[in-house]
Amino acid sequence: MVLKANAPKEIELNAADTSSLDLATPRQGRFFARSRGWARERTQFVVLMLIPPVVLLVGLIALPFLIGLGVSFTDYMLSNPPARFSGFTNYQDLLRAGEFWQALRLTLLFTVVAVAIQTALGVGLAVLLHAETRHVPMLRMLYLLPMAVTPVAATFTFRMMFNPSLGVLNYLLGLVGLPPQDWLGNGDLALISLLLVDTWQHTPFILLIVGGGLASLPAEPFEAARIDGASAWQTFTLITLPLLKPFLAIAVLFRAIDAFKTFDIIFVLTAGGPGTSTTTLNVYAYKQAIEFVSLGYGAAIAIVMMLIVTIAAMLFLRRTRLLSVA
């Protein structure tokens, strides 16, 4: 093996080969030892830098999860302390409860419809805003504004708009001769109202990711399609959408996880009502844990929600191969 004094990296990579010390000159030996010291210091530095995020990760994610998991195996009720170990009783009661299955169906319906509408709107707006015209930058800023608004503040604004007596929506319906609607008091309309607010708030997220994807697409396939005489629809369906697949998959995954655990919009607008027509799993868990002070049962609902989201995300990633290494 030949040591090169002007190639520190090569020497550092060969630091484990102690036989090279015997062949090195005294000067090269000192440089070799110093390189091993640099490697040791670099390893110590990396370990020190990793300690804070690992501690933070354990403190903010792993520890609360373990506490919640432990509480879910108890009959912990704030009105009747102390907590006693109850095994899988909470989970058995949960699977037998009709309210749980109704909340699960409603959560899945809300998630699927919201993500489908927002993806279609987000892709359409991103394609429209992809053109480089004079007004496009201002329109992009306007479309991204809902993301800058605090969700609770936006929800309270919509709550005033949905007011059956003073809301602007019923005023607009009156202008076209339609009767006023009880947007949040009717079970079917309440769910539609929630979807409307969620779509207004989160469609810009899809727009942002898809817009970034469009800006990064290569120009060659589009030039070839133009030369071959492909129509705009053919170019969009056969070239644009396939190339956007990774960006769409990421946007749909993030949005679906967020929609599945939506709480603020639902709680502020309907609190799960009227009746249980808008009680999703998150609201159901809140009512059980906070309003009915059954912390063990509420923790079991939260653990089941986490398992559903984790399994669904893993299946989605496996299906789309987003994390696969080429």
Side-chain angles (χ1 to χ4, degrees), residues 65 69 91 300-313:
F65 167 73
L69 184 63
Y91 293 95
I301 300 172
I303 294 296
V304 170
M305 282 186 62
M306 190 208 65
L307 290 176
I308 293 174
V309 170
T310 303
I311 294 173

Side-chain angles (χ1 to χ4, degrees), residues 31 40 81 124 143 165 172 176 192 195 202 217 223 261 281 290 299 305 324:
F31 186 83
R40 191 182 306 111
Y143 280 119
S165 303
L172 295 176
V176 296
I192 295 174
L195 288 169
H202 296 293
L217 295 183
E223 293 177 358
K261 57 185 180 61
L281 277 179
I290 305 301
M305 282 186 62
S324 63

Side-chain angles (χ1 to χ4, degrees), residues 221-241:
F222 298 95
E223 293 177 358
R226 182 176 55 81
I227 293 172
D228 292 340
S231 64
W233 179 249
Q234 289 174 327
T235 303
F236 176 71
T237 56
L238 300 178
I239 298 178
T240 305
L241 278 183

Side-chain angles (χ1 to χ4, degrees), residues 194-237:
L194 295 178
L195 288 169
L196 175 64
V197 178
D198 192 72
T199 299
W200 178 85
Q201 181 89 49
H202 296 293
T203 296
F205 176 76
I206 305 284
L207 166 65
L208 189 65
I209 293 181
V210 175
L214 283 172
S216 66
L217 295 183
E220 290 80 3
F222 298 95
E223 293 177 358
R226 182 176 55 81
I227 293 172
D228 292 340
S231 64
W233 179 249
Q234 289 174 327
T235 303
F236 176 71
T237 56

Side-chain angles (χ1 to χ4, degrees), residues 104-314:
L104 178 60
R105 284 194 295 271
L106 187 63
T107 305
L108 293 176
L109 175 66
F110 179 83
T111 302
V112 171
V113 175
V115 173
I117 294 174
Q118 292 162 23
T119 301
L121 286 176
V123 172
L125 290 173
V127 172
L128 290 176
L129 295 178
H130 184 57
E132 292 296 337
T133 60
R134 187 178 59 179
H135 302 293
V136 162
M138 183 180 297
L139 290 176
R140 287 174 181 161
M141 292 177 59
L142 290 177
Y143 280 119
L144 294 179
L145 276 181
M147 293 182 64
V149 180
T150 306
V152 174
T155 307
F156 272 109
T157 303
F158 273 96
R159 188 175 179 177
M160 291 188 289
M161 294 171 63
F162 287 136
N163 188 290
S165 303
L166 306 174
V168 67
L169 292 181
N170 278 345
Y171 173 76
L172 295 176
L173 289 180
L175 293 180
V176 296
L178 295 176
Q181 302 293 329
D182 189 1
W183 296 96
L184 302 178
N186 182 296
D188 296 330
L189 282 179
L191 185 60
I192 295 174
S193 302
L194 295 178
L195 288 169
L196 175 64
V197 178
D198 192 72
T199 299
W200 178 85
Q201 181 89 49
H202 296 293
T203 296
F205 176 76
I206 305 284
L207 166 65
L208 189 65
I209 293 181
V210 175
L214 283 172
S216 66
L217 295 183
E220 290 80 3
F222 298 95
E223 293 177 358
R226 182 176 55 81
I227 293 172
D228 292 340
S231 64
W233 179 249
Q234 289 174 327
T235 303
F236 176 71
T237 56
L238 300 178
I239 298 178
T240 305
L241 278 183
L243 291 177
L244 281 177
K245 183 182 174 183
F247 302 95
L248 281 173
I250 292 174
V252 168
L253 177 63
F254 285 172
R255 192 73 275 284
I257 293 175
D258 195 40
F260 189 86
K261 57 185 180 61
T262 298
F263 177 78
D264 45 7
I265 293 175
I266 300 174
F267 189 75
V268 171
L269 286 180
T270 65
T276 57
S277 58
T278 58
T279 302
T280 58
L281 277 179
N282 231 348
V283 177
Y284 183 53
Y286 170 81
K287 287 186 175 181
Q288 294 296 326
I290 305 301
E291 294 185 2
F292 303 145
V293 296
S294 180
L295 296 182
Y297 192 71
I301 300 172
I303 294 296
V304 170
M305 282 186 62
M306 190 208 65
L307 290 176
I308 293 174
V309 170
T310 303
I311 294 173
M314 290 177 63

